[in-house]
């Protein structure tokens, strides 16, 4: 995998990214020439007002969407040229994704959800999963189903799912947006600690200044550009 | 509805006709003969009476084979056969109640084609039958009959038609009738089974063959066999090989073997003037070539200096009729040259 | 890739399938829907296949299934000499003698065949396959053809012939013989039927050898009928309608079953939309997600299909005896009452299950394929009806309605059924729009907050329930339609029986002498003796029967005439005219005043009478005229008029005096009972299918309701929060289901009656040759109304119970999840 290459210090590289949404109400330009570089092990917070394009940028980096213009390369994959399968491969093997709505698989229990992406990527390690569950405080909940968990518990499962395969890049989209402040803080701390412990790079979108301050670097999106 | 199902019953009953019941000897010829007339060494032959049907005997046939040369220079063979099978030892001769069933086969063979057809008929109603004088044998629109005014069977007109072929031939005999065995009493097994058997091997024949490729005028020689019995085969006998040859020196040779635990051979060597020399076990040797049925044979009559090999004109001359067998023209090479017919029955289906 | 693709597929498939494990009821719905659909379809197919195979058994074995027939035209004779002449000319034909034997009241078909030429008609005879298949133990051609001969018959037929005078004929029991038929040699048959040298027909090889002279040169009085043209005498032509009828029902059931599948599959896709998105976000390519979902559906289809085939098999096995009885009773076609497993049938069942699942799952798969990875807001749930969707359905319905007259114009049975399909589908499509309109109207009238909410909420749910309601409507309409048809049939038939079986006793003599003696004996004891002689004849090119009847008030007052010329009975008695049955009139296009060719000369038609349950043409003429035309017809059968209270004693006296078997004397009530039995059986199969269809519709409704129950919690929660208790909500929900079912039922009434009209006036005429007056039965409608309410109750109970027992926490979560 690309993360095995020691020469690659730059994990994500974006230059001149443009993205416009076509809506029935007309064209909505969201990103107008964004440049961003994320290095190995680095944590970057993207902040900005609602509608500033934070999530869009994150989705582009995660290969969930394609830019209209500009150069975008993540873990050596040129995302402007990649097709659905190539982007899926990148997401599966290189990226851990944490969503605001957790997006757990409701019909699988916590244990299965935790190991899901690692298994998908073929990197599941039972001992590592065990440790991770303990670190996340989920050991007692492994047999439960998502609907039986609180929001904070669900987000901890989602974080565990993203990290279990040790991906070189973790993307988090408002990971604490659905949690109350206290829970959100605790979860965010835990996430950052675990990401650092594993040496993964982290890009997170948030409008919580406190969360952003916990990251190595903070970029602000305004009017479609990084400031 | 019901009429369709009637076919089942028909099939059921037809299995009792000369067919299928192979375990009773070939084509049922080894079966029960209770109540039927039996061949009699002292009976002799009487003409024209014996040209006709012998309803009190169980089975009987009128069997004509012809070796022909077409105006196109090719060899052809023609077969016209009418079988009679009595279903009961006695019964009325007229009407549906007459216990007689008839079956006929016609074939025309060329080096690259073999066409045949089969007909069935009931006795007593005129659909099929044989009259002795004037001679006529017929089933449906097939017939072998003396032309008007002709006595006996010295002159015959032979016609038949199948789905993809037909023929219309006229034959004239240039020699006498020939009685096989002892005055026409022909023994067929070591245990004494026998039949009444005579032939007219001296026909010149000509006419027209209609084949899928068109009509062709033909001329050649023909051989008529007449045989009737009630049980010509022993129970253990499985089939026979029968050979009738027209040798170029004017002699005719009938050689046959009935295959059983040990083959039973018999034959007749017929001089150009019709004198018959019966051939028995020891006078005659038949050696089959390869294949089943074997379409090449070595035929030897040491006492007469005959050592010939016969070869089928068309090895694919199987008769896929209700009782399958092989019947086709052959060429003769060796000590004598000539042509003839080969018939083989009771071989396992290929 | 280092990752084992197979392992990944297993993982993803596991995630997809885990949905079903968490929702076993939904899985059960999906499987049950598919299984029932397949079961109904394949069950009926099995019945059909078995019946068809029965007709064709002999035909298949010998290739004689569709042999052309040569028959004498217009009363001329066909003799053995004609047969021989044709054979000698090269025609490959075989003679047939057909007739009927009577033994007391038992009638057995006598079939004379000529086995030797018969088998020579087809090349199949030459492969010897039949002989090796093992014929009966003592098949003996000689014994068969030489008098007294042998007759082949089943044991049952042999029993029916017990004691009959068959001139010493030996009966060979043959389980394969056609039911109620004695097969003998053609010569024996001529003797038994006293036909002299006459034959009924010749069957001919399909391909005649070239060079045979044309028929009009050898036998100009014979006409060749092509069996492919489908004469009325062919059971296939008659029974085809019955099978088509069953197939139409099976297809309807299958469609109803698909409604269930469709809602279960649709719900599954809907509920798993988030999971699918998550899976793709986690790096599963779209193509793999689609392939795995399709595979999941295919497995479900195969499992449910296999179960459905087993169920269908069981159903067919249970229905088969009824079908066999129907076919033999109504059409005289004989079918074995047992079932055989046919690979083609299994494959067709699995194929239908797969095709049905594909149809039901196509929408979900397409939506999944198009689903954007990033959800830009919630897409409209599948269960929500859109105004545009309703409009489209109405337009489609309009097109179907326009196609309806076109189908009728095509005519024939197929046209009739196509028109039926168009009408039913159009009605189903238009149903949601109609219900929506009704609810819109109700909304304007609604007073009170709760009522207003109730109506609005019902309207909103219409989309989710529309499929199920359409299924219910179709099931009800089919029930009404078929029920009305059966009811009309039964009442008409009963009335007709009363008219037709007006004499008190019917007596069959064993011999003509005995018949004469019976009439002499009765002369002083009965009020009237009405001889009924009959003979078989070719009527308008089809085999039929001619009756000679006495001039008597029994006929004048009671005979079920559909049309009559003035002075009808006088002209009949004087031999100046005849009556024809409705079948003959319709098939040959003959009406009053037209002349009909009869043996011994044509006569004008003076009347048409109804003759239910008889597929063959029939003619009635005066007794004297009949005697002149058919001097050889056996004179064995007579009706006896006597005071009803004396009928029993007279019957007993007759039996004593002439030592008649019980079956030789039939009293009116007994005859009516037997006749009615036949018709009850005819429609037993249809009734069974009706019940099953309704059950399937009930399950569809249940599925729809369960689907909605999970979706509409957010809509119920605020109402609950506003102070309506859960029990009341549940009651309202059940009430809603009932109201929708009742509305659907009301809509189904005209649709069902239309269906009944089509069945009676179009399909029935095409299939049977007679038309029935439509008899709308209010009890039937009431019964079906109750059935629809019951179905709704059964379907609505579980969702309502669940709602009543829902925890406040679950309702509260709606607010917690609300964003």
């Amino acid at each position: 995998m690309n993360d095995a290459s020691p020469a690659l210090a730059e994990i994500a590289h974006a230059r001149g990214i443009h993205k416009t949404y076509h809506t029935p109400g007309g064209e909505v330009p969201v990103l107008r020439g964004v440049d961003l570089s994320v290095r190995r092990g680095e944590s970057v917070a993207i902040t900005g007002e609602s509608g500033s394009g934070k999530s869009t940028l994150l989705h582009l980096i995660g290969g969930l969407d394609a830019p209209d213009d500009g150069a975008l390369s993540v873990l050596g994959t040129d995302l402007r040229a990649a097709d659905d399968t190539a982007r899926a491969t990148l997401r599966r093997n290189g990226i851990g994704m944490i969503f605001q709505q957790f997006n757990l698989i409701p019909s699988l229990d916590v244990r299965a959800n935790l190991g899901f992406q690692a298994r998908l990527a073929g990197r599941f390690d039972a001992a590592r999963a065990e440790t991770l569950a303990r670190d996340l405080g989920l050991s007692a909940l492994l047999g439960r189903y998502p609907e039986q968990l609180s929001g904070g518990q669900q987000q901890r499962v989602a974080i565990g799912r993203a990290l279990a395969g040790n991906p070189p890049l973790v993307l988090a989209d408002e990971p604490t947006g659905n949690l109350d402040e206290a829970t959100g803080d605790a979860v965010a701390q835990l996430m950052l600690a675990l990401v650092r412990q594993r040496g993964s790079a982290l890009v997170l979108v948030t409008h919580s200044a406190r969360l952003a301050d916990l990251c190595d670097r903070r970029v602000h999106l305004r009017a479609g550009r990084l400031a | 509805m019901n009429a369709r199902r009637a076919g089942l019953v028909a099939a059921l009953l037809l299995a009792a006709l000369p067919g299928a019941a192979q375990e009773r000897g070939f084509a049922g010829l080894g079966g029960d003969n209770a109540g039927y007339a039996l061949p009699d060494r002292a009976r002799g032959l009487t003409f024209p009476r014996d040209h006709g049907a012998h309803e009190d005997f169980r089975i009987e046939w009128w069997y004509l084979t012809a070796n022909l040369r077409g105006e196109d220079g090719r060899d052809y063979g023609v077969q016209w056969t009418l079988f009679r099978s009595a279903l009961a030892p006695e019964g009325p001769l007229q009407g549906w109640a007459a216990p007689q069933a008839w079956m006929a086969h016609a074939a025309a063979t060329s080096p690259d084609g073999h066409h045949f057809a089969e007909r069935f008929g009931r006795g007593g109603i005129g659909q099929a039958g044989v009259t002795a004088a004037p001679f006529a044998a017929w089933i449906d629109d097939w017939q072998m009959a003396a032309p008007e005014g002709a006595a006996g069977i010295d002159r015959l007109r032979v016609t038949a038609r199948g789905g993809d072929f037909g023929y219309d031939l006229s034959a004239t005999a240039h020699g006498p009738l020939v009685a096989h065995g002892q005055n026409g009493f022909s023994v067929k097994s070591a245990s004494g089974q026998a039949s009444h058997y005579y032939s007219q091997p001296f026909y010149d024949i000509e006419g027209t063959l209609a084949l899928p490729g068109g009509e062709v005028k033909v001329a050649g020689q023909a051989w008529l066999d007449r045989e009737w019995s009630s049980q010509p085969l022993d129970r253990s006998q499985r089939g026979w090989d029968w050979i009738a040859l027209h040798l170029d020196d004017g002699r005719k040779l009938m050689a046959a073997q009935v295959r059983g635990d040990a083959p039973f051979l018999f034959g007749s060597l017929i001089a150009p003037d019709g004198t018959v020399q019966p051939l028995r076990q020891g006078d005659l040797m038949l050696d089959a070539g390869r294949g089943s049925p074997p379409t090449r044979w070595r035929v030897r009559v040491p006492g007469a200096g005959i050592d010939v090999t016969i070869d089928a004109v068309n090895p694919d001359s199987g008769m896929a009729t209700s009782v399958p067998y092989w019947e086709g023209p052959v060429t003769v090479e060796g000590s004598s040259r000539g042509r003839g017919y080969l018939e083989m029955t009771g071989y396992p289906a290929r | 890739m280092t990752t084992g693709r197979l392992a990944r597929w297993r993982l993803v498939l596991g995630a997809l399938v885990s949905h079903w494990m968490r929702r076993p009821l939904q899985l059960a719905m999906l499987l049950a829907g598919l299984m029932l659909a397949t079961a109904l379809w394949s069950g009926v197919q099995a019945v059909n296949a078995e019946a068809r195979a029965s007709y064709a058994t002999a035909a298949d074995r010998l290739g004689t299934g569709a042999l052309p027939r040569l028959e004498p035209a217009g009363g001329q004779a066909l003799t053995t000499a004609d047969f021989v002449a044709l054979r000698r000319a090269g025609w490959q034909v075989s003679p047939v003698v057909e007739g009927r034997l009577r033994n007391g009241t038992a009638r057995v078909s006598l079939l004379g065949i000529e086995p030797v030429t018969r088998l020579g008609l087809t090349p199949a005879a030459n492969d010897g396959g039949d002989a090796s298949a093992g014929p009966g133990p003592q098949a003996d051609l000689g014994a068969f053809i030489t008098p007294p001969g042998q007759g082949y018959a089943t044991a049952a037929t042999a029993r029916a012939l017990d004691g009959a005078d068959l001139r010493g004929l030996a009966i060979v029991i043959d389980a394969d013989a056609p039911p109620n038929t004695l097969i003998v040699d053609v010569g024996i048959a001529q003797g038994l039927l006293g036909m002299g040298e006459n034959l009924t027909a010749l069957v001919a090889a399909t391909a005649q050898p070239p060079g045979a002279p044309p028929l009009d040169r050898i036998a100009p009085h014979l006409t060749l009928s092509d069996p492919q043209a489908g004469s009325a005498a062919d059971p296939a032509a008659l029974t085809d309608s019955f099978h088509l009828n069953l197939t139409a029902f099976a297809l309807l059931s299958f469609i109803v079953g698909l409604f269930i599948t469709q809602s279960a599959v649709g719900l599954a896709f809907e509920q798993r939309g988030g999971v699918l998105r998550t899976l793709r976000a986690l790096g599963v390519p779209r193509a793999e997600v689609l392939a795995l979902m399709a595979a999941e559906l295919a497995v479900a289809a195969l499992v449910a299909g296999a179960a459905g085939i087993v169920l269908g098999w069981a159903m067919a096995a249970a229905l088969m005896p009824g079908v066999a009885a129907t076919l033999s009773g109504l059409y005289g076609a004989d079918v074995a009452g047992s079932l055989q497993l046919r690979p083609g049938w299994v494959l067709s069942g699995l194929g239908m299950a797969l095709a049905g699942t594909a149809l039901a799952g196509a929408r979900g798969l397409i939506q999944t394929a198009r689903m954007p990875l990033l959800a830009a807001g919630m897409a409209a749930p599948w269960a929500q009806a859109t105004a545009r969707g309703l409009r489209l359905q109405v337009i489609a319905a309009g097109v179907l309605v326009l196609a309806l007259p076109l189908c009728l114009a095509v005519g024939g049975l197929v046209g009739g059924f196509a028109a039926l399909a168009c009408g039913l589908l159009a009605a189903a499509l238009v149903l949601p729009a109609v219900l929506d309109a009704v609810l819109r109207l109700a909304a304007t009238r609604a007073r009170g907050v709760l009522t207003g909410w109730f109506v609005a909420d019902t309207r909103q749910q219409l989309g989710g329930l529309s499929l199920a309601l359409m299924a219910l409507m179709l099931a009800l309409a089919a029930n009404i339609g078929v029920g009305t048809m059966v009811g009309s049939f039964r009442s008409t038939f009963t009335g007709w029986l009363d008219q037709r079986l007006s004499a008190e006793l019917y007596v069959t003599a064993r011999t003509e002498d005995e018949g004469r003696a019976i009439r002499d004996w009765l002369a002083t004891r009965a009020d009237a003796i009405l001889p009924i002689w009959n003979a078989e004849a070719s009527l308008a090119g089809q085999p039929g029967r001619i009756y000679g009847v006495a001039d008597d008030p029994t006929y004048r007052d009671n005979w079920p005439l559909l049309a009559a010329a003035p002075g009808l009975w006088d002209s009949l008695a004087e031999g100046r005219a005849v009556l024809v049955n409705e079948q003959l009139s319709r098939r040959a296009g003959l009406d009053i005043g037209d002349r009909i060719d009869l043996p011994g000369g044509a006569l004008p038609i003076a009347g048409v009478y109804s003759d239910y349950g008889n597929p063959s043409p029939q003619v009635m003429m005066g007794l004297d005229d009949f005697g002149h035309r058919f001097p050889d017809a056996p004179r064995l059968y007579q009706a006896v008029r006597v005071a009803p209270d004396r009928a029993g004693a007279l019957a007993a006296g007759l039996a004593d005096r002439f030592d008649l078997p019980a079956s030789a004397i039939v009293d009116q009530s007994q005859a009516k009972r037997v006749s009615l039995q036949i018709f009850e059986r005819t429609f037993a199969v249809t009734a069974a299918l009706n019940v099953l269809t309704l059950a399937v519709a009930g399950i569809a409704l249940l599925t729809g309701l369960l689907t909605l129950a999970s979706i509409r919690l957010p809509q119920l929660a605020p109402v609950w929060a506003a102070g309506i208790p859960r029990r009341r909500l549940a009651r309202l929900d059940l009430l809603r289901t009932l109201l929708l079912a009742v509305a659907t039922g009301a809509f189904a009434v005209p649709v069902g009656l239309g269906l009944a009209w089509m069945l009676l006036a179009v399909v029935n005429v095409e299939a049977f040759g007679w038309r029935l007056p439509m008899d709308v039965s209010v009890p039937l409608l009431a019964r079906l109304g109750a059935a629809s309410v019951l179905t709704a109750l059964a379907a609505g109970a579980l969702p309502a119970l669940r709602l009543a027992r829902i925890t406040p926490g679950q309702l509260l979560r709606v607010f917690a999840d609300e964003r």
Side-chain angles (χ1 to χ4, degrees), chain C residues 139-236:
Chain C
D140 182 345
L141 188 59
F144 185 73
I145 70 171
T146 47
Q150 284 180 341
Y152 281 73
T154 61
T157 309
R159 276 196 301 278
L161 286 169
D162 199 27
D165 175 19
L166 298 174
R167 303 178 170 201
L169 181 87
I171 294 187
V172 179
I173 304 295
D174 175 13
D176 286 336
N180 202 40
T181 302
L182 179 67
I183 298 183
V184 297
D185 185 60
V186 64
I188 304 291
Q190 284 175 336
L192 284 175
L193 296 171
M195 290 175 66
E197 284 299 301
N198 285 333
L199 301 168
T200 308
L202 302 175
V203 287
T206 316
Q208 294 291 338
L215 192 61
D216 52 14
R217 280 238 310 272
I218 337 157
H221 61 297
L222 298 185
T223 54
L224 185 65
S225 69
D226 184 1
Q228 315 296 353
S231 80
D234 185 2

Side-chain angles (χ1 to χ4, degrees), chain C residues 68-94:
Chain C
R69 272 169 82 102
L70 288 165
E71 282 170 330
Q76 300 187 66
L78 167 66
T79 63
T80 306
D82 290 323
F83 160 67
V84 173
L86 277 163
R87 289 291 304 204
R88 296 296 317 264
W91 278 73
Q92 293 297 292
V93 292
S94 184

Side-chain angles (χ1 to χ4, degrees), chain C residues 396-409:
Chain C
V399 171
L400 284 170
V401 168
L402 287 179
L404 208 140
L406 220 67
C407 296
L408 284 177

Side-chain angles (χ1 to χ4, degrees), chain C residues 378-403:
Chain C
M378 283 289 281
W382 71 278
Q384 298 288 317
T386 61
R388 187 163 159 268
L390 284 180
R391 254 201 322 278
L392 275 179
Q393 286 194 3
V394 172
I395 290 169
V399 171
L400 284 170
V401 168
L402 287 179

Side-chain angles (χ1 to χ4, degrees), chain C residues 372-653:
Chain C
L373 223 175
L374 297 165
M378 283 289 281
W382 71 278
Q384 298 288 317
T386 61
R388 187 163 159 268
L390 284 180
R391 254 201 322 278
L392 275 179
Q393 286 194 3
V394 172
I395 290 169
V399 171
L400 284 170
V401 168
L402 287 179
L404 208 140
L406 220 67
C407 296
L408 284 177
V410 168
L413 213 46
V414 174
F417 272 113
L420 266 187
C422 283
L424 283 178
L425 212 55
L429 284 173
V430 92
L431 174 73
V434 169
L435 291 177
D436 189 59
V438 169
L439 285 170
R440 218 162 28 198
L441 193 72
T444 61
R445 302 269 172 94
R447 274 181 220 129
V449 182
L450 197 59
T451 318
W453 169 79
F454 181 76
V455 172
D457 191 46
T458 305
R459 231 187 119 191
Q460 200 183 9
Q461 285 183 64
L462 207 52
L465 286 176
S466 66
L467 275 176
L469 291 175
M470 282 154 77
L472 180 65
M473 199 282 292
L474 284 181
L476 284 172
N479 268 295
I480 294 170
V482 176
T484 303
M485 181 181 89
V486 174
S488 303
F489 206 106
R490 190 180 290 120
S491 65
T492 313
F493 182 67
T494 315
W496 170 82
L497 272 181
D498 286 341
Q499 294 179 321
R500 182 117 183 213
L501 292 179
S502 45
E504 282 69 27
L505 293 177
Y506 295 84
V507 184
T508 312
R510 283 164 292 200
T511 63
E512 296 219 5
D513 288 344
E514 187 179 68
R516 217 168 293 123
I518 286 173
R519 286 191 291 279
D520 290 344
W521 188 84
L522 282 172
T524 54
R525 293 169 174 87
D527 299 344
I529 305 156
L530 311 174
I532 307 170
W533 313 147
N534 68 79
E536 289 184 346
S538 172
L539 297 171
Q542 294 170 358
R545 196 165 279 275
I546 300 179
Y547 282 88
V549 296
D551 181 20
D552 189 87
T554 306
Y555 298 108
R556 287 178 180 259
D557 300 344
N558 294 313
W559 203 246
L561 289 171
L562 297 174
L568 149 77
W569 293 106
D570 292 333
S571 52
L572 199 71
E574 289 158 21
R576 286 185 284 109
V578 293
L579 297 179
V580 299
N581 68 352
E582 185 185 6
Q583 287 82 319
L584 176 56
S585 159
R586 280 188 191 275
R587 287 214 192 99
L590 292 170
D591 215 335
I592 289 182
D594 294 340
R595 294 177 73 82
I596 177 165
D597 279 333
L598 296 168
L603 278 177
I605 293 169
V608 179
Y609 58 96
S610 54
D611 186 19
Y612 303 121
N614 168 25
S616 310
Q618 215 177 70
V619 163
M620 273 170 70
M621 58 170 54
L623 196 60
D624 294 343
D625 191 19
F626 181 87
H628 294 313
R629 288 168 191 257
F630 302 97
D632 295 332
R635 293 152 190 231
L636 304 174
Y637 189 56
Q638 41 268 313
V640 180
R641 296 308 308 262
V642 64
D645 56 341
R646 283 178 47 221
L650 189 65

Side-chain angles (χ1 to χ4, degrees), chain A residues 59 64-65 84 88-89 91-93 99 103 106-108 116-117 119-121 145 147 161, chain C residues 1 3 8 11-12 15 18-19 22 275 278-286 373-374 813:
Chain A
H59 292 154
L64 295 168
D65 207 348
D84 180 74
T89 306
R91 291 198 298 272
R92 188 165 70 237
N93 294 324
F99 301 94
N103 286 14
S107 50
L108 296 180
F116 195 83
Q117 195 174 10
R119 286 181 199 273
L120 211 54
Y145 284 86
E147 61 181 19
R161 179 177 69 187
Chain C
M1 242 354 74
T3 311
R8 187 166 78 231
L11 188 68
V12 175
S18 67
H19 170 84
R22 295 284 290 161
V275 173
T278 303
L279 284 174
R280 288 194 53 203
L282 295 182
V284 184
R286 184 197 348 240
L373 223 175
L374 297 165
R813 179 168 301 172

Side-chain angles (χ1 to χ4, degrees), chain B residues 1-17 20 87 96-99 101-102 118-122 125-127 138 140-141 143 161-163 320-322, chain C residues 54 58 61-62 65 80 83-84 87-88 90 92 111 113-114 116-120 126 131 135-136 139 141-142 144-147 152 178 181 183 185 190 209-211 234-235 332:
Chain B
M1 48 174 141
N2 292 350
R4 290 182 188 171
R5 289 222 179 167
L8 274 181
V9 172
L12 197 87
L13 290 162
L14 263 255
L17 207 61
L87 303 169
W96 288 111
W102 298 82
E118 184 172 35
R119 291 283 183 269
F120 297 97
R122 273 280 277 275
I125 53 164
Q127 183 205 347
W138 75 93
D140 295 349
D141 55 335
Q143 69 169 5
R161 197 167 50 185
T321 39
S322 55
Chain C
S54 272
R61 278 185 71 184
L62 288 164
T80 306
F83 160 67
V84 173
R87 289 291 304 204
R88 296 296 317 264
Q92 293 297 292
L111 177 61
I113 61 164
E114 201 296 284
V116 178
T117 47
R118 177 112 189 175
L119 210 63
N126 293 344
L141 188 59
F144 185 73
I145 70 171
T146 47
Y152 281 73
T181 302
I183 298 183
D185 185 60
Q190 284 175 336
D234 185 2

